[in-house]
């Protein structure tokens, strides 16, 4: 039997990453192996708008004696921008969650078809077929899958260049999309016993300071509990800034690499700085959601 971990400690927790069930490169089993090798002590799989991989992830984590929390990363439209909310400890077998996530994923295929039309206009052919080669479930097709195709064909060097030139907001292949509302996303998470965490706040550069304050205020009012402070998306300066935001808004701090794949992610699973003693970790309220 595994001994329960001490949740009051600084832990090598990695509570944000992706598998082939959304836009990650590895399957749950390879993620678990990698997490174990890198010393992860508490792990969550958080695929975009999808919990299909959670059951397998829970099983392989159990077999490897890696403490596990269920997770999902929900796409939200707030003030006309996309923001991401991580749900930790959700019930992956809940029919309401399944239906809600299905509805959020709905439209990804039509959006992808439109992206391919727009990319063709700037001379990039067969982008939909190319992107589909990288997709597990077509309903989960994302910009990341297009990005891989553009790198594969040599059109761009890496994902950063793809987003800068083709897929970022306002670029030729960008198609605006209406995701869930903040209220819907937190409702889905809370209805199945989960804890909501604002993902990588440093990435929302398009939100003004006023809009960011509104986001944080509404997130708290809707029962959101956590914010990512240490993430692969944050610079050291972002980490300092959002540690203070966590304190100012009385939010619990989370830590996750947002790992997508060995060749693609800046930070590997479990290779992040520790949260720091001055923050209250989100896992301090997750004791009853951890599966050993
Ligand atoms: P989508 O949900 O289809 O809009 O795709 C969003 C995904 O694209 C994110 O989850 C990231 O994995 C990836 N992404 C977004 N911006 C960038 C970027 N600047 N560089 C690399 N990947 C990015
Ligand atoms: Mn992603
Ligand atoms: Mn995200
Ligand atoms: Mn992510």
């Amino acid at each position: 039997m595994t001994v329960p971990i001490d949740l009051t400690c600084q832990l090598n927790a990695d509570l944000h990453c992706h598998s082939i069930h959304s836009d990650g490169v590895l399957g749950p089993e390879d993620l678990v192996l990698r997490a174990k090798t890198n010393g992860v002590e508490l792990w969550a799989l958080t695929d975009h708008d999808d919990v299909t991989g959670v059951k397998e992830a829970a099983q392989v984590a159990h077999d490897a004696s890696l403490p596990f929390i269920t997770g999902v990363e929900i796409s939200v439209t707030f003030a006309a921008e996309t923001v991401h909310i991580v749900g930790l400890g959700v019930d992956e077998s809940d029919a309401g969650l399944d239906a809600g996530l299905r509805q959020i994923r709905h439209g990804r295929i039509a959006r992808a078809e439109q992206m391919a039309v727009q990319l063709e206009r700037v001379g990039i052919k067969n982008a939909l077929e190319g992107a589909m080669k990288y997709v597990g479930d077509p309903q989960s097709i994302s910009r990341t899958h297009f990005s891989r195709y553009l790198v594969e064909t040599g059109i761009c060097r890496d994902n950063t260049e793809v987003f800068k030139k083709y897929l970022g907001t306002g670029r030729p292949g960008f198609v605006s999309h209406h995701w869930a509302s903040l209220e819907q996303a937190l409702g889905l998470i809370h209805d199945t016993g989960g804890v909501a965490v604002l993902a990588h706040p440093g990435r929302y550069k398009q939100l003004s300071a006023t809009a960011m304050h509104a986001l944080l205020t509404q997130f708290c009012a809707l029962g959101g509990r956590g914010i990512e402070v240490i993430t692969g998306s944050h610079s050291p300066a972002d980490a300092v800034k959002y540690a203070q935001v966590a304190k100012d808004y009385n939010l619990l701090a989370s830590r996750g690499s947002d790992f997508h794949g060995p060749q693609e992610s800046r930070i590997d699973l479990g290779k992040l700085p520790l949260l720091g003693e001055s923050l209250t970790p989100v896992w301090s309220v997750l004791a009853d959601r951890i599966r050993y």
Side-chain angles (χ1 to χ4, degrees):
M1 207 191 98
T2 315
V3 180
I5 42 182
D6 181 355
L7 297 171
T8 60
C9 286
Q10 293 281 318
L11 282 178
N12 187 354
D14 196 322
L15 305 182
H16 187 153
C17 74
H18 299 273
S19 78
I20 44 164
H21 293 286
S22 62
D23 60 353
V25 171
L26 304 180
E29 192 162 5
D30 288 330
L31 287 170
V32 165
L33 278 175
R34 202 171 181 96
K36 281 297 271 190
T37 303
N38 292 352
V40 173
E41 297 167 289
L42 177 63
W43 178 60
L45 175 68
T46 56
D47 276 313
H48 294 286
D49 311 313
D50 201 319
V51 288
T52 310
V54 166
K55 201 163 173 237
E56 183 191 348
Q59 184 61 51
V60 285
H62 173 78
D63 295 344
S65 302
L66 176 62
F68 175 78
I69 303 179
T70 59
V72 63
E73 181 177 19
I74 300 184
S75 312
V76 161
T77 300
F78 181 87
E81 297 295 340
T82 300
V83 305
H84 287 169
I85 306 293
V86 164
L88 298 174
V90 293
D91 176 1
E92 79 280 11
S93 59
D94 183 87
L97 179 66
D98 181 60
L101 294 177
R102 202 181 288 273
Q103 197 194 347
I104 298 167
R105 289 197 302 273
H106 180 77
R108 274 190 180 268
I109 294 176
R111 170 190 184 236
E113 286 167 354
Q114 181 58 27
M115 284 170 67
V117 167
Q118 293 180 200
L119 287 170
E120 179 136 20
R121 282 189 200 134
V122 291
I124 299 170
K125 293 194 174 39
N126 304 320
L128 185 60
E129 296 74 16
M132 278 293 182
K133 285 193 302 180
Y134 294 97
V135 176
D137 175 357
Q139 283 208 353
S140 288
I141 189 163
S142 82
R143 286 185 288 167
T144 315
H145 301 111
F146 281 87
S147 186
R148 288 184 188 135
Y149 176 66
L150 267 63
V151 173
E152 173 204 310
T153 50
I155 293 166
C156 291
R157 264 190 322 274
D158 54 25
N159 288 340
T160 305
E161 188 183 348
V162 174
F163 277 83
K164 217 165 158 182
K165 285 194 177 160
Y166 294 105
L167 301 182
T169 310
R171 307 311 298 158
F174 181 78
V175 176
S176 70
H177 193 73
H178 200 79
W179 302 106
S181 69
L182 192 62
E183 201 168 1
Q184 282 166 337
L186 268 70
L188 284 175
I189 293 167
H190 294 152
D191 284 352
T192 68
V195 169
V197 175
L198 179 64
H200 43 61
R203 286 240 310 252
Y204 310 136
K205 305 279 188 228
Q206 272 114 334
L207 289 178
S208 66
T210 311
M212 182 56 100
H213 174 65
L215 171 63
L216 287 158
T217 306
Q218 287 181 38
F219 177 75
C220 292
L222 291 165
R225 304 279 311 270
I227 185 168
E228 287 183 350
V229 173
I230 301 295
T231 134
S233 299
H234 280 177
S235 67
D238 288 331
V240 171
K241 177 175 175 181
Y242 290 101
Q244 189 57 48
V245 169
K247 290 171 192 166
D248 292 346
Y249 290 84
N250 204 16
L251 288 164
L252 302 162
S254 192
R255 176 179 187 268
S257 56
D258 205 357
F259 180 76
H260 282 70
Q263 260 82 54
E264 296 185 7
S265 295
R266 270 196 307 166
I267 304 258
D268 203 342
L269 278 167
K271 295 286 186 183
L272 302 146
L274 292 171
L275 265 187
E277 297 286 351
S278 69
L279 296 166
T280 309
V282 69
W283 49 87
S284 65
V285 300
L286 291 168
D288 60 351
R289 319 291 207 297
I290 298 176
R291 301 182 190 177
Y292 290 99

